Amino acid sequence: MSAELLNGTRLAKHIRSQIRRKLKKLTFTPGLAVVQVGDDPASSLYIKHKQRDCEKVHFYSEVHRLSADVSQSALIKHIEDLNTRSDIHGMLVQMPLPEDIDKETVIDNISPDKDADGLNPVNLGNLLINREGVTPCTPTGIIRLIELSGEEIEGKHAVCVGRSPLVGKPVGLMLLNRNATVTYCHSRTPDLAEQTQKADLLIVAIGRPGFITADMVKPGATVIDVGINHINGRAVGDVKFEDVKEVAGFITPVPGGVGPMTRAMLLENTLKLAIGG
Ligand code: NAP
């Protein structure tokens, strides 16, 4: 048996065309601001992609490049100014930040109404109490990919490997909100395979290339590989794709699975914030 591929590139393209259609009904242009501190090349590339995505759906976008030695208070002042701009509906601060800047404090200062990444504690708190508004991009993209499979989430056993606030923890909450039974695994979980083998939905976000092997996967499971690991200039996931695809029912490729969906969900969040819904 070979698993069916969940094609994030194609789904993201479809979502962008839906956004363009919705935009035709608006009398204004949604605007996204991205704040970059320093000039980390990987961050610059991610930002370029985000700008290109904005162009594709005819959003307005701005990049604010601040020097690597900017103080935390000056960065926060910059964010506060963006919070008051009526032409900017969503913003995000590109991570990572320099070590002397506290990431959480910075995110605290993004207005929840402009939080395009869905990582402000108010938006995460709403997720916790099943009042989903703007939700983090990668977890939201994962839910869309599972929905694409046509598999019901309700009643399924979901296992999240990884518990980061960016991916693992919020995706587990989103699955719980949809009535899955959720198990979280992390680096201190003894006998990880015993847990993953029980998963109908296996979400892997750890950052270890090829860590999940075929013997760790329940036959027919839906496997979502979030990992992006660069090996010899090539992106590989946390799942041993070639082997696991022979066991799984559905599987996401890397690249072309969760990555493009994360970017599409940033556009959706920006639109949501722009129309106040
Ligand atoms: P992170 O903050 O480093 O968290 C990694 C998580 O994996 C932690 O919870 C850690 O456990 C757990 N873990 C590490 N080694 C493990 C092991 N051997 N067994 C079980 N659990 C283990 O990473 P992240 O931000 O969630 O990202 C994870 C991966 O997804 C990375 O490759 C990243 O590049 C990728 N990513 C992709 C996208 C996308 O759009 N496709 C978006 C975000 C991230 P502890 O908590 O115990 O340390």
Side-chain angles (χ1 to χ4, degrees), residues 149-219:
S149 74
E151 294 285 290
E152 278 285 327
I153 293 176
E154 178 161 332
K156 293 285 160 58
H157 186 178
V159 175
C160 303
V161 189
R163 57 173 167 178
S164 74
L166 186 65
V167 188
K169 223 177 259 182
V171 79
L173 286 174
M174 293 184 81
L175 290 162
L176 190 64
N177 288 344
R178 288 158 180 75
N179 298 320
T181 300
V182 178
T183 301
Y184 282 103
C185 300
H186 45 78
S187 66
R188 315 286 169 87
T189 302
D191 201 351
L192 183 70
E194 192 191 345
Q195 303 301 326
T196 58
Q197 281 159 358
K198 292 181 199 151
D200 303 307
L201 305 169
L202 180 60
I203 320 297
V204 190
I206 55 180
R208 302 266 184 279
F211 187 85
I212 298 291
T213 48
D215 58 310
M216 297 170 84
V217 175
K218 179 176 172 176

Side-chain angles (χ1 to χ4, degrees), residues 131-163:
R131 194 168 59 188
E132 291 183 10
V134 171
T135 48
C137 299
T138 303
T140 313
I142 293 168
I143 297 293
R144 292 299 186 82
L145 284 163
I146 298 171
E147 286 170 353
L148 177 71
S149 74
E151 294 285 290
E152 278 285 327
I153 293 176
E154 178 161 332
K156 293 285 160 58
H157 186 178
V159 175
C160 303
V161 189
R163 57 173 167 178

Side-chain angles (χ1 to χ4, degrees), residues 8-207:
T9 305
R10 200 159 55 204
L11 182 56
K13 194 173 174 194
H14 175 68
I15 287 167
R16 286 194 300 272
S17 75
Q18 281 181 326
I19 292 174
R20 278 193 298 273
R21 220 171 308 131
K22 285 182 190 162
L23 216 63
K24 285 190 184 141
K25 295 187 187 142
L26 295 186
T27 53
F28 63 95
T29 304
L32 175 72
V34 179
V35 180
Q36 180 178 17
V37 179
D39 55 3
D40 172 57
S43 293
S44 300
L45 185 66
Y46 289 137
I47 290 172
K48 212 163 139 187
H49 288 155
K50 286 168 187 172
Q51 279 188 291
R52 205 182 304 149
D53 288 340
C54 281
E55 283 165 20
K56 283 183 187 165
V57 296
H58 315 305
F59 282 5
Y60 171 68
S61 71
E62 278 181 3
V63 181
H64 296 247
R65 292 192 175 85
L66 308 183
S67 102
D69 60 4
V70 70
S71 67
Q72 182 167 307
S73 56
L75 171 59
I76 289 172
K77 172 78 179 63
H78 204 93
I79 291 168
E80 284 170 350
D81 288 345
L82 287 170
N83 280 337
T84 64
R85 291 257 308 267
S86 60
D87 58 335
I88 295 298
H89 304 92
M91 80 166 101
L92 65 95
V93 177
Q94 186 66 44
M95 299 297 160
L97 289 171
E99 270 178 16
D100 55 333
I101 294 181
D102 182 60
K103 176 177 135 188
E104 270 75 34
T105 307
V106 169
I107 297 174
D108 284 348
N109 282 278
I110 297 175
S111 163
D113 299 334
K114 302 225 167 169
D115 175 27
D117 266 344
L119 294 172
N120 177 281
V122 171
N123 287 320
L124 288 177
N126 279 328
L127 173 57
L128 184 73
I129 58 171
N130 198 1
R131 194 168 59 188
E132 291 183 10
V134 171
T135 48
C137 299
T138 303
T140 313
I142 293 168
I143 297 293
R144 292 299 186 82
L145 284 163
I146 298 171
E147 286 170 353
L148 177 71
S149 74
E151 294 285 290
E152 278 285 327
I153 293 176
E154 178 161 332
K156 293 285 160 58
H157 186 178
V159 175
C160 303
V161 189
R163 57 173 167 178
S164 74
L166 186 65
V167 188
K169 223 177 259 182
V171 79
L173 286 174
M174 293 184 81
L175 290 162
L176 190 64
N177 288 344
R178 288 158 180 75
N179 298 320
T181 300
V182 178
T183 301
Y184 282 103
C185 300
H186 45 78
S187 66
R188 315 286 169 87
T189 302
D191 201 351
L192 183 70
E194 192 191 345
Q195 303 301 326
T196 58
Q197 281 159 358
K198 292 181 199 151
D200 303 307
L201 305 169
L202 180 60
I203 320 297
V204 190
I206 55 180

